[in-house]
């Protein structure tokens, strides 16, 4: 079922990413002593904060304060590849499927890398016209220079405005969302300007399907979910029959944490190299410099379908979905954090309040 965002809920960017939320917090009285010790599971190594050199008292405070964020659904902390803390809030359970919104884009990026690794796509420098000419040749006269790389780093130059709910909803409800993107004019040279564009993320889904013969959901299940033991998910299908490459994926929080660990460990899950390390490292390099505050942290760049920043504890990569859906990886610290909220809650400031929780209470536990 397609989810449309109420315009009153809209901050800045639709399914994900940038947010115009103020720095106001979204706290009520925190619940004291939330139980955040993870339950053992056969497919997931469990440990304790002390064993992984994190401050348990600081983490207790973080999980307690998370209960005071009214949209909060799940908070998980992973260190050294081991789950050391998890809690679920406001009637959510361990097996609840959570909306990722534009964290979906980061997973789409991983699958483009896998398609390149398997030889279905030659490289990020392959022009998109090699995939789109058969179906959309009449719309490509000004788009010959756009490559897959330009879609990945949001620099295609295609006219796009996602500053209101209407911008996203008009696209996602189109009878042919690929045509909707390609019929828009080019307003800047490819690679010259960053402009957040969910439509071009969806072009990646189209390209992957043309290259492999599988939908993005099918390809991801085969090459990512099955190796990670992920069995439960839903993925929105748009009106042209393609998996939404920009948003619309739901996963259990624990399963998103597995993907976070894979990202943090350069494509490796436990003893298996699922995605080429070179691809994850390439995706974590700044493609588009920027300076954007988020909950007291500074984002200094956009890589490939995720955001990049730094703290005193080290550099981080951030999959960021609308309403404060986060998977944050910090390779230098062997740290992965998953925070998921009710993106439909419409609480002012919820995105920044969630990041403030990470900055003020989880990172200091290192």
């Amino acid at each position: 079922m397609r989810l449309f965002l109420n315009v009153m809920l809209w901050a800045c960017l639709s399914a994900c990413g940038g947010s115009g939320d103020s720095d106001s917090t979204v706290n009520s009285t925190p619940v004291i002593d939330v139980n955040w010790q993870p339950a053992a599971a056969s497919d997931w190594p469990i440990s304790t904060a002390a064993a992984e050199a994190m401050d348990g008292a600081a983490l207790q405070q973080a999980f307690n304060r998370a209960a005071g964020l009214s949209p909060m659904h799940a908070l998980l902390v992973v260190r050294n590849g081991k789950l050391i803390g998890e809690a679920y809030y406001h009637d959510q359970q361990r097996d609840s499927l959570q909306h990722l919104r534009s964290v979906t884009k980061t997973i789409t990026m991983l699958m483009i890398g896998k398609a390149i690794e398997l030889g279905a796509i030659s490289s990020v420098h392959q022009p998109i016209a090699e995939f789109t000419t058969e179906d959309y040749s009449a719309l490509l006269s000004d788009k010959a220079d756009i490559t897959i790389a330009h879609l990945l780093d949001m620099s295609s130059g295609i006219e796009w405005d996602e500053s209101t709910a209407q911008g996203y909803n008009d696209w996602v409800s189109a009878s042919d969302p690929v045509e909707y993107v390609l019929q828009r004019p080019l307003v800047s040279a490819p690679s010259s300007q960053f402009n957040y564009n969910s439509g071009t993320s969806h072009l990646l889904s189209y390209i992957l399907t043309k290259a492999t013969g599988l939908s993005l959901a099918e390809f991801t299940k085969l090459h990512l979910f099955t190796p990670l033991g992920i069995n439960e998910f839903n993925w929105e299908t748009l009106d042209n029959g393609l998996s939404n490459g920009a948003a619309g994926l739901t996963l259990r929080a624990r399963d998103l944490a597995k993907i976070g660990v894979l990202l943090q460990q350069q494509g490796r899950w436990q003893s298996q190299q699922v995605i080429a390390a070179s691809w994850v490292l390439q995706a974590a390099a700044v493609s588009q410099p920027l300076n954007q505050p988020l909950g007291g942290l500074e984002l200094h760049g956009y890589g490939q379908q995720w955001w990049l920043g730094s703290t005193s504890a080290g550099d981080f990569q951030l999959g960021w979905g609308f309403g404060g859906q986060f998977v944050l990886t910090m390779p230098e610290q062997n740290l992965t954090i998953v925070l998921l909220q009710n993106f439909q809650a419409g609480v002012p400031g919820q995105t920044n309040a969630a990041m403030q929780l990470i900055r003020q209470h989880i990172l200091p536990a290192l």
Side-chain angles (χ1 to χ4, degrees), residues 110 117 262-263 265-268 273-284:
L110 285 175
E117 180 184 340
L262 177 140
L263 288 160
Q265 296 183 157
Q266 290 80 53
R268 182 170 49 84
Q273 192 71 41
V274 179
I275 306 293
S278 58
W279 177 255
V280 179
L281 290 169
Q282 175 181 319

Side-chain angles (χ1 to χ4, degrees), residues 59-348:
L59 288 180
Q60 180 72 67
Q61 187 176 34
F63 282 98
N64 288 350
R65 287 185 174 272
L69 301 181
S70 58
M72 182 65 67
H73 278 178
L75 178 62
L76 289 78
V77 179
V78 184
R79 188 97 195 271
N80 301 322
K82 300 173 183 177
L83 184 62
I84 64 171
E86 68 173 336
Y88 301 89
Y89 305 90
H90 303 113
D91 299 321
Q92 300 299 301
Q93 307 295 328
R94 183 175 296 114
D95 290 331
S96 300
L97 291 176
Q98 304 291 337
H99 290 282
L100 308 190
R101 304 317 297 155
S102 280
V103 176
T104 304
K105 293 180 172 71
T106 305
I107 296 169
T108 298
M109 171 272 290
L110 285 175
M111 294 301 92
I112 292 294
K114 191 65 179 182
I116 292 172
E117 180 184 340
L118 296 174
I121 296 172
S122 62
S123 80
V124 296
H125 304 298
Q126 197 167 358
I128 67 169
E130 294 185 12
F131 302 93
T132 56
T133 296
E134 180 180 3
D135 297 328
Y136 302 104
S137 59
L139 303 176
L140 302 175
S141 59
D142 60 347
K143 299 176 177 67
D145 294 332
I146 300 177
T147 67
I148 292 171
H150 298 134
L151 306 185
L152 286 165
D153 69 12
M154 300 289 186
S155 69
S156 69
I158 294 174
E159 180 186 60
W160 198 260
D161 182 5
E162 236 175 281
S163 62
T164 67
Q166 197 65 44
Y168 181 83
N169 289 342
D170 284 350
W171 163 70
V172 80
S173 61
S175 59
D176 186 339
V178 172
E179 179 183 60
Y180 184 94
V181 178
L182 292 176
Q183 70 186 0
R184 309 188 77 79
L186 206 69
V187 293
S188 62
S191 83
S192 66
Q193 184 175 330
F194 175 84
N195 184 31
Y196 192 86
N197 186 333
S198 289
T200 54
S201 294
H202 185 60
L203 291 185
L204 293 170
S205 175
Y206 170 86
I207 287 169
L208 185 139
T209 296
K210 294 291 283 189
T212 68
L214 299 174
S215 71
L216 176 59
E218 292 167 334
F219 190 82
T220 304
K221 180 179 180 181
L222 179 64
H223 293 290
L224 183 65
F225 292 166
T226 297
L228 270 58
I230 297 173
N231 300 310
E232 299 294 329
F233 72 96
N234 286 315
W235 205 319
E236 177 184 46
T237 300
L238 300 189
D239 283 346
N240 59 356
L242 295 172
S243 308
N244 186 345
L249 176 61
T250 63
L251 287 175
R252 298 188 315 152
R254 274 195 174 196
D255 289 335
L256 180 58
K258 291 180 181 180
I259 296 171
V261 170
L262 177 140
L263 288 160
Q264 180 246 300
Q265 296 183 157
Q266 290 80 53
R268 182 170 49 84
W269 169 248
Q270 298 181 351
S271 61
Q272 184 179 3
Q273 192 71 41
V274 179
I275 306 293
S278 58
W279 177 255
V280 179
L281 290 169
Q282 175 181 319
V286 173
S287 294
Q288 298 294 318
L290 54 85
N291 182 15
Q292 181 170 334
L294 175 62
L297 295 179
E298 285 293 326
L299 303 176
H300 59 67
Y302 195 81
Q304 294 182 349
Q305 301 291 287
W306 60 350
W307 306 80
L308 310 174
S310 60
T311 71
S312 58
D315 293 339
F316 66 87
Q317 299 83 44
L318 183 69
W320 174 9
F322 178 76
Q325 323 304 324
F326 296 134
V327 54
L328 182 149
T329 66
M330 191 173 286
E332 295 171 60
Q333 296 288 349
N334 291 319
L335 179 70
T336 296
I337 301 166
V338 166
L339 187 155
L340 297 167
Q341 300 193 95
N342 177 6
F343 81 98
Q344 295 176 300
V347 180

